[in-house]
């Protein structure tokens, strides 16, 4: 309610709807926000607003500016099943099963570790260093991490984490890109801001 009324007020003051972005955590909440705004400001104005989750807005930015973000024009977003398949290949390519170690790691557990490191913006080297104090799953995931990312690039694909992490990372590295997007988005409103993780916080901060 707070955000929808603030958006309506910004429009009333004459601000362009395409300069307003409202971020929430679920597609359901984003849909409810848009329905409320249709009733408050009309269908046309509501359609021009950017309302969505962190991930849907990140995907929109990648599709709008693929070259600047370093992704193919027709990149693919992998679902969890695809990610598990790529991780399985990455484990094999990184030699985790070599030297007689044919133990089959739980792919979900390995995926979770890689996801966590990406959301903390850890490099491959930092992940391997952290894994030294962890268990065998940490070691396996750290060994597979770089091969996994290489495989995504070769496929012209991104995973769900990249929709926030990669966008935030590129905004932090490229001043011109960051300026262009922060000039485009004049008002950035965030629902449940206290629940943001590190990657989401950096996504917002850099915009």
């Amino acid at each position: 309610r707070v955000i929808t009324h603030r958006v309506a007020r910004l429009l009333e003051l004459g601000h362009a709807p395409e300069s307003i972005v409202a971020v929430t955590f679920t597609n359901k909440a984003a849909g409810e926000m848009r329905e409320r705004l249709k009733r408050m400001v009309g269908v046309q104005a509501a359609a021009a607003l950017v309302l969505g989750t962190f991930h849907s807005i990140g995907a929109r930015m990648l599709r709008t500016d693929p070259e600047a973000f370093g992704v193919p024009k027709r990149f693919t977003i992998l679902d969890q099943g695809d990610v598990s398949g790529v991780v399985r290949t990455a484990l094999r390519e990184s030699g985790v099963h070599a030297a007689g170690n044919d133990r089959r790691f739980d792919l979900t557990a390995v995926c979770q570790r890689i996801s966590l490191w990406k959301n903390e913006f850890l490099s491959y080297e930092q992940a391997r260093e952290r894994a030294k104090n962890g268990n065998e799953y940490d070691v396996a995931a750290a060994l597979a991490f770089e091969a996994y990312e290489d495989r995504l690039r070769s496929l012209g694909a991104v995973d769900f984490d990249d929709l926030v992490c990669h966008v935030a990372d590129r905004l932090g590295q490229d001043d011109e890109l960051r300026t262009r997007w922060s000039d485009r988005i004049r008002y950035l409103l965030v629902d449940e801001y206290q629940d943001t993780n590190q990657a989401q916080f950096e996504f917002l901060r850099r915009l």
Side-chain angles (χ1 to χ4, degrees):
R1 183 181 181 279
V2 172
I3 288 179
T4 52
H5 279 73
R6 178 158 172 74
V7 169
R9 177 61 174 160
L10 289 169
L11 294 173
E12 184 182 308
L13 292 171
H15 297 289
E18 58 270 18
S19 71
I20 302 169
V21 173
V23 189
T24 187
F25 278 84
T26 68
N27 290 320
K28 181 181 178 182
E32 289 174 356
M33 195 182 296
R34 190 175 298 279
E35 288 304 312
R36 285 190 184 202
L37 281 162
K38 283 180 183 178
R39 296 192 293 271
M40 294 169 72
V41 303
V43 173
Q44 186 173 352
L49 295 162
V50 180
L51 309 174
T53 63
F54 283 96
H55 295 90
S56 67
I57 290 169
R60 183 185 182 123
M61 292 170 70
L62 291 178
R63 291 191 180 100
T64 301
D65 213 354
E67 185 176 350
F69 281 110
V71 297
K73 287 184 179 179
R74 296 185 178 180
F75 66 89
T76 302
I77 302 173
L78 301 186
D79 63 24
Q80 192 54 52
D82 296 326
V83 166
S84 294
V86 176
V87 166
R88 182 185 293 108
T89 301
L91 285 168
R92 185 170 59 250
E93 291 177 351
S94 60
V96 171
H97 300 301
N101 178 12
D102 60 356
R103 174 184 172 85
R104 292 191 63 81
F105 288 89
D106 180 80
L107 291 174
T108 299
V110 177
C111 292
Q112 287 172 342
R113 283 161 172 78
I114 291 175
S115 174
L116 177 66
W117 294 332
K118 291 180 77 163
N119 277 277
E120 293 181 5
F121 299 104
L122 294 189
S123 66
Y124 312 132
E125 294 77 15
Q126 289 170 323
R128 285 194 287 268
E129 189 64 30
R130 180 176 293 189
K132 289 179 181 178
N133 299 318
N135 59 29
E136 60 184 351
Y137 272 94
D138 295 317
V139 173
L143 288 170
F145 190 8
E146 186 171 4
Y148 171 75
E149 291 290 277
D150 287 343
R151 184 66 176 156
L152 288 187
R153 283 190 289 272
S154 70
L155 292 170
V158 298
D159 63 20
F160 200 58
D161 293 312
D162 287 325
L163 300 179
V164 175
C165 302
H166 181 72
V167 171
D169 190 45
R170 290 294 301 150
L171 290 172
Q173 292 181 30
D174 188 330
D175 292 342
E176 190 276 332
L177 177 66
R178 183 173 64 252
T179 299
R180 187 164 73 248
W181 277 95
S182 62
D183 285 348
R184 181 182 301 193
I185 300 171
R186 304 307 300 161
Y187 295 93
L188 184 58
L189 300 94
V190 187
D191 183 32
E192 303 292 353
Y193 176 79
Q194 74 281 356
D195 290 337
T196 54
N197 64 20
Q198 182 175 346
Q200 292 161 346
F201 171 75
E202 290 299 333
F203 178 96
L204 297 170
R205 186 178 70 84
R206 293 170 187 183
L207 283 174

PDB file of all heavy atoms in Angstrom, residues 57-77:
ATOM      1  N   ILE A  57      13.424  -7.793 -12.834  1.00  0.00           N
ATOM      2  CA  ILE A  57      13.982  -6.497 -13.243  1.00  0.00           C
ATOM      3  C   ILE A  57      15.410  -6.666 -13.755  1.00  0.00           C
ATOM      4  O   ILE A  57      15.811  -6.047 -14.746  1.00  0.00           O
ATOM      5  CB  ILE A  57      13.882  -5.490 -12.086  1.00  0.00           C
ATOM      6  CG1 ILE A  57      12.408  -5.130 -11.862  1.00  0.00           C
ATOM      7  CG2 ILE A  57      14.705  -4.234 -12.369  1.00  0.00           C
ATOM      8  CD1 ILE A  57      12.122  -4.364 -10.603  1.00  0.00           C
ATOM      9  N   GLY A  58      16.179  -7.547 -13.109  1.00  0.00           N
ATOM     10  CA  GLY A  58      17.520  -7.842 -13.609  1.00  0.00           C
ATOM     11  C   GLY A  58      17.473  -8.436 -15.004  1.00  0.00           C
ATOM     12  O   GLY A  58      18.256  -8.060 -15.883  1.00  0.00           O
ATOM     13  N   ALA A  59      16.539  -9.357 -15.237  1.00  0.00           N
ATOM     14  CA  ALA A  59      16.392  -9.962 -16.565  1.00  0.00           C
ATOM     15  C   ALA A  59      16.018  -8.905 -17.597  1.00  0.00           C
ATOM     16  O   ALA A  59      16.528  -8.913 -18.727  1.00  0.00           O
ATOM     17  CB  ALA A  59      15.329 -11.057 -16.524  1.00  0.00           C
ATOM     18  N   ARG A  60      15.162  -7.991 -17.211  1.00  0.00           N
ATOM     19  CA  ARG A  60      14.761  -6.897 -18.112  1.00  0.00           C
ATOM     20  C   ARG A  60      15.963  -6.034 -18.477  1.00  0.00           C
ATOM     21  O   ARG A  60      16.130  -5.634 -19.639  1.00  0.00           O
ATOM     22  CB  ARG A  60      13.682  -6.067 -17.417  1.00  0.00           C
ATOM     23  CG  ARG A  60      13.108  -4.935 -18.246  1.00  0.00           C
ATOM     24  CD  ARG A  60      12.135  -4.125 -17.409  1.00  0.00           C
ATOM     25  NE  ARG A  60      11.509  -3.056 -18.166  1.00  0.00           N
ATOM     26  CZ  ARG A  60      10.211  -2.905 -18.319  1.00  0.00           C
ATOM     27  NH1 ARG A  60       9.376  -3.764 -17.775  1.00  0.00           N
ATOM     28  NH2 ARG A  60       9.731  -1.896 -19.018  1.00  0.00           N
ATOM     29  N   MET A  61      16.821  -5.738 -17.506  1.00  0.00           N
ATOM     30  CA  MET A  61      18.019  -4.937 -17.770  1.00  0.00           C
ATOM     31  C   MET A  61      18.973  -5.667 -18.714  1.00  0.00           C
ATOM     32  O   MET A  61      19.536  -5.064 -19.629  1.00  0.00           O
ATOM     33  CB  MET A  61      18.705  -4.587 -16.453  1.00  0.00           C
ATOM     34  CG  MET A  61      17.896  -3.638 -15.586  1.00  0.00           C
ATOM     35  SD  MET A  61      18.567  -3.429 -13.904  1.00  0.00           S
ATOM     36  CE  MET A  61      20.067  -2.487 -14.266  1.00  0.00           C
ATOM     37  N   LEU A  62      19.149  -6.960 -18.507  1.00  0.00           N
ATOM     38  CA  LEU A  62      20.030  -7.744 -19.384  1.00  0.00           C
ATOM     39  C   LEU A  62      19.495  -7.760 -20.811  1.00  0.00           C
ATOM     40  O   LEU A  62      20.267  -7.641 -21.772  1.00  0.00           O
ATOM     41  CB  LEU A  62      20.160  -9.168 -18.861  1.00  0.00           C
ATOM     42  CG  LEU A  62      20.936  -9.378 -17.555  1.00  0.00           C
ATOM     43  CD1 LEU A  62      20.912 -10.854 -17.167  1.00  0.00           C
ATOM     44  CD2 LEU A  62      22.384  -8.897 -17.685  1.00  0.00           C
ATOM     45  N   ARG A  63      18.194  -7.912 -20.964  1.00  0.00           N
ATOM     46  CA  ARG A  63      17.607  -7.967 -22.305  1.00  0.00           C
ATOM     47  C   ARG A  63      17.662  -6.604 -22.990  1.00  0.00           C
ATOM     48  O   ARG A  63      17.782  -6.521 -24.214  1.00  0.00           O
ATOM     49  CB  ARG A  63      16.148  -8.449 -22.231  1.00  0.00           C
ATOM     50  CG  ARG A  63      16.006  -9.912 -21.826  1.00  0.00           C
ATOM     51  CD  ARG A  63      14.586 -10.415 -22.026  1.00  0.00           C
ATOM     52  NE  ARG A  63      14.462 -11.810 -21.626  1.00  0.00           N
ATOM     53  CZ  ARG A  63      13.966 -12.217 -20.472  1.00  0.00           C
ATOM     54  NH1 ARG A  63      13.523 -11.324 -19.583  1.00  0.00           N
ATOM     55  NH2 ARG A  63      13.892 -13.504 -20.173  1.00  0.00           N
ATOM     56  N   THR A  64      17.564  -5.542 -22.208  1.00  0.00           N
ATOM     57  CA  THR A  64      17.599  -4.199 -22.766  1.00  0.00           C
ATOM     58  C   THR A  64      19.006  -3.800 -23.207  1.00  0.00           C
ATOM     59  O   THR A  64      19.180  -3.102 -24.206  1.00  0.00           O
ATOM     60  CB  THR A  64      17.090  -3.182 -21.719  1.00  0.00           C
ATOM     61  OG1 THR A  64      15.758  -3.539 -21.341  1.00  0.00           O
ATOM     62  CG2 THR A  64      17.088  -1.759 -22.257  1.00  0.00           C
ATOM     63  N   ASP A  65      20.006  -4.260 -22.474  1.00  0.00           N
ATOM     64  CA  ASP A  65      21.385  -3.792 -22.671  1.00  0.00           C
ATOM     65  C   ASP A  65      22.363  -4.976 -22.662  1.00  0.00           C
ATOM     66  O   ASP A  65      23.336  -4.972 -21.903  1.00  0.00           O
ATOM     67  CB  ASP A  65      21.719  -2.827 -21.522  1.00  0.00           C
ATOM     68  CG  ASP A  65      22.662  -1.714 -21.933  1.00  0.00           C
ATOM     69  OD1 ASP A  65      23.153  -1.749 -23.067  1.00  0.00           O
ATOM     70  OD2 ASP A  65      22.918  -0.831 -21.100  1.00  0.00           O
ATOM     71  N   PRO A  66      22.142  -6.000 -23.502  1.00  0.00           N
ATOM     72  CA  PRO A  66      22.935  -7.230 -23.389  1.00  0.00           C
ATOM     73  C   PRO A  66      24.424  -7.037 -23.621  1.00  0.00           C
ATOM     74  O   PRO A  66      25.250  -7.609 -22.900  1.00  0.00           O
ATOM     75  CB  PRO A  66      22.317  -8.149 -24.452  1.00  0.00           C
ATOM     76  CG  PRO A  66      21.646  -7.232 -25.421  1.00  0.00           C
ATOM     77  CD  PRO A  66      21.170  -6.078 -24.601  1.00  0.00           C
ATOM     78  N   GLU A  67      24.782  -6.247 -24.609  1.00  0.00           N
ATOM     79  CA  GLU A  67      26.202  -6.072 -24.918  1.00  0.00           C
ATOM     80  C   GLU A  67      26.947  -5.445 -23.748  1.00  0.00           C
ATOM     81  O   GLU A  67      28.032  -5.891 -23.371  1.00  0.00           O
ATOM     82  CB  GLU A  67      26.364  -5.208 -26.175  1.00  0.00           C
ATOM     83  CG  GLU A  67      27.811  -5.072 -26.630  1.00  0.00           C
ATOM     84  CD  GLU A  67      27.948  -4.307 -27.930  1.00  0.00           C
ATOM     85  OE1 GLU A  67      26.915  -4.038 -28.588  1.00  0.00           O
ATOM     86  OE2 GLU A  67      29.084  -3.968 -28.288  1.00  0.00           O
ATOM     87  N   ALA A  68      26.367  -4.406 -23.139  1.00  0.00           N
ATOM     88  CA  ALA A  68      27.015  -3.731 -22.014  1.00  0.00           C
ATOM     89  C   ALA A  68      27.149  -4.648 -20.803  1.00  0.00           C
ATOM     90  O   ALA A  68      28.114  -4.559 -20.044  1.00  0.00           O
ATOM     91  CB  ALA A  68      26.235  -2.473 -21.638  1.00  0.00           C
ATOM     92  N   PHE A  69      26.180  -5.541 -20.629  1.00  0.00           N
ATOM     93  CA  PHE A  69      26.230  -6.469 -19.504  1.00  0.00           C
ATOM     94  C   PHE A  69      27.011  -7.744 -19.823  1.00  0.00           C
ATOM     95  O   PHE A  69      27.149  -8.625 -18.971  1.00  0.00           O
ATOM     96  CB  PHE A  69      24.816  -6.826 -19.041  1.00  0.00           C
ATOM     97  CG  PHE A  69      24.169  -5.774 -18.178  1.00  0.00           C
ATOM     98  CD1 PHE A  69      23.112  -5.024 -18.644  1.00  0.00           C
ATOM     99  CD2 PHE A  69      24.642  -5.522 -16.892  1.00  0.00           C
ATOM    100  CE1 PHE A  69      22.511  -4.043 -17.848  1.00  0.00           C
ATOM    101  CE2 PHE A  69      24.062  -4.551 -16.086  1.00  0.00           C
ATOM    102  CZ  PHE A  69      22.997  -3.815 -16.570  1.00  0.00           C
ATOM    103  N   GLY A  70      27.486  -7.849 -21.057  1.00  0.00           N
ATOM    104  CA  GLY A  70      28.332  -8.979 -21.413  1.00  0.00           C
ATOM    105  C   GLY A  70      27.611 -10.292 -21.559  1.00  0.00           C
ATOM    106  O   GLY A  70      28.151 -11.350 -21.238  1.00  0.00           O
ATOM    107  N   VAL A  71      26.359 -10.236 -22.055  1.00  0.00           N
ATOM    108  CA  VAL A  71      25.613 -11.466 -22.317  1.00  0.00           C
ATOM    109  C   VAL A  71      25.175 -11.458 -23.776  1.00  0.00           C
ATOM    110  O   VAL A  71      25.057 -10.391 -24.392  1.00  0.00           O
ATOM    111  CB  VAL A  71      24.375 -11.609 -21.393  1.00  0.00           C
ATOM    112  CG1 VAL A  71      24.793 -11.714 -19.935  1.00  0.00           C
ATOM    113  CG2 VAL A  71      23.398 -10.452 -21.601  1.00  0.00           C
ATOM    114  N   PRO A  72      24.918 -12.634 -24.361  1.00  0.00           N
ATOM    115  CA  PRO A  72      24.428 -12.676 -25.743  1.00  0.00           C
ATOM    116  C   PRO A  72      23.058 -12.014 -25.860  1.00  0.00           C
ATOM    117  O   PRO A  72      22.305 -11.950 -24.895  1.00  0.00           O
ATOM    118  CB  PRO A  72      24.329 -14.176 -26.042  1.00  0.00           C
ATOM    119  CG  PRO A  72      25.165 -14.844 -25.009  1.00  0.00           C
ATOM    120  CD  PRO A  72      25.113 -13.987 -23.793  1.00  0.00           C
ATOM    121  N   LYS A  73      22.742 -11.541 -27.064  1.00  0.00           N
ATOM    122  CA  LYS A  73      21.437 -10.916 -27.268  1.00  0.00           C
ATOM    123  C   LYS A  73      20.300 -11.881 -26.967  1.00  0.00           C
ATOM    124  O   LYS A  73      19.250 -11.485 -26.480  1.00  0.00           O
ATOM    125  CB  LYS A  73      21.317 -10.405 -28.707  1.00  0.00           C
ATOM    126  CG  LYS A  73      22.151  -9.163 -28.985  1.00  0.00           C
ATOM    127  CD  LYS A  73      21.910  -8.647 -30.397  1.00  0.00           C
ATOM    128  CE  LYS A  73      22.724  -7.384 -30.644  1.00  0.00           C
ATOM    129  NZ  LYS A  73      22.528  -6.868 -32.028  1.00  0.00           N
ATOM    130  N   ARG A  74      20.509 -13.165 -27.277  1.00  0.00           N
ATOM    131  CA  ARG A  74      19.473 -14.169 -27.031  1.00  0.00           C
ATOM    132  C   ARG A  74      19.964 -15.153 -25.970  1.00  0.00           C
ATOM    133  O   ARG A  74      20.012 -16.358 -26.214  1.00  0.00           O
ATOM    134  CB  ARG A  74      19.121 -14.886 -28.336  1.00  0.00           C
ATOM    135  CG  ARG A  74      18.496 -13.964 -29.373  1.00  0.00           C
ATOM    136  CD  ARG A  74      18.057 -14.721 -30.613  1.00  0.00           C
ATOM    137  NE  ARG A  74      17.418 -13.843 -31.587  1.00  0.00           N
ATOM    138  CZ  ARG A  74      16.945 -14.245 -32.756  1.00  0.00           C
ATOM    139  NH1 ARG A  74      17.036 -15.529 -33.101  1.00  0.00           N
ATOM    140  NH2 ARG A  74      16.393 -13.391 -33.589  1.00  0.00           N
ATOM    141  N   PHE A  75      20.314 -14.627 -24.831  1.00  0.00           N
ATOM    142  CA  PHE A  75      20.784 -15.492 -23.750  1.00  0.00           C
ATOM    143  C   PHE A  75      19.638 -16.337 -23.206  1.00  0.00           C
ATOM    144  O   PHE A  75      18.463 -15.990 -23.325  1.00  0.00           O
ATOM    145  CB  PHE A  75      21.425 -14.668 -22.632  1.00  0.00           C
ATOM    146  CG  PHE A  75      20.468 -13.769 -21.895  1.00  0.00           C
ATOM    147  CD1 PHE A  75      19.767 -14.219 -20.776  1.00  0.00           C
ATOM    148  CD2 PHE A  75      20.268 -12.453 -22.295  1.00  0.00           C
ATOM    149  CE1 PHE A  75      18.883 -13.399 -20.092  1.00  0.00           C
ATOM    150  CE2 PHE A  75      19.390 -11.614 -21.616  1.00  0.00           C
ATOM    151  CZ  PHE A  75      18.700 -12.091 -20.519  1.00  0.00           C
ATOM    152  N   THR A  76      20.018 -17.456 -22.614  1.00  0.00           N
ATOM    153  CA  THR A  76      19.055 -18.378 -22.016  1.00  0.00           C
ATOM    154  C   THR A  76      19.143 -18.291 -20.499  1.00  0.00           C
ATOM    155  O   THR A  76      20.242 -18.169 -19.954  1.00  0.00           O
ATOM    156  CB  THR A  76      19.367 -19.828 -22.446  1.00  0.00           C
ATOM    157  OG1 THR A  76      19.332 -19.902 -23.867  1.00  0.00           O
ATOM    158  CG2 THR A  76      18.362 -20.802 -21.854  1.00  0.00           C
ATOM    159  N   ILE A  77      18.001 -18.325 -19.831  1.00  0.00           N
ATOM    160  CA  ILE A  77      17.978 -18.397 -18.371  1.00  0.00           C
ATOM    161  C   ILE A  77      17.732 -19.849 -17.982  1.00  0.00           C
ATOM    162  O   ILE A  77      16.696 -20.421 -18.303  1.00  0.00           O
ATOM    163  CB  ILE A  77      16.885 -17.494 -17.776  1.00  0.00           C
ATOM    164  CG1 ILE A  77      17.091 -16.036 -18.217  1.00  0.00           C
ATOM    165  CG2 ILE A  77      16.887 -17.591 -16.248  1.00  0.00           C
ATOM    166  CD1 ILE A  77      15.953 -15.111 -17.818  1.00  0.00           C
TER     167      ILE A  77
END
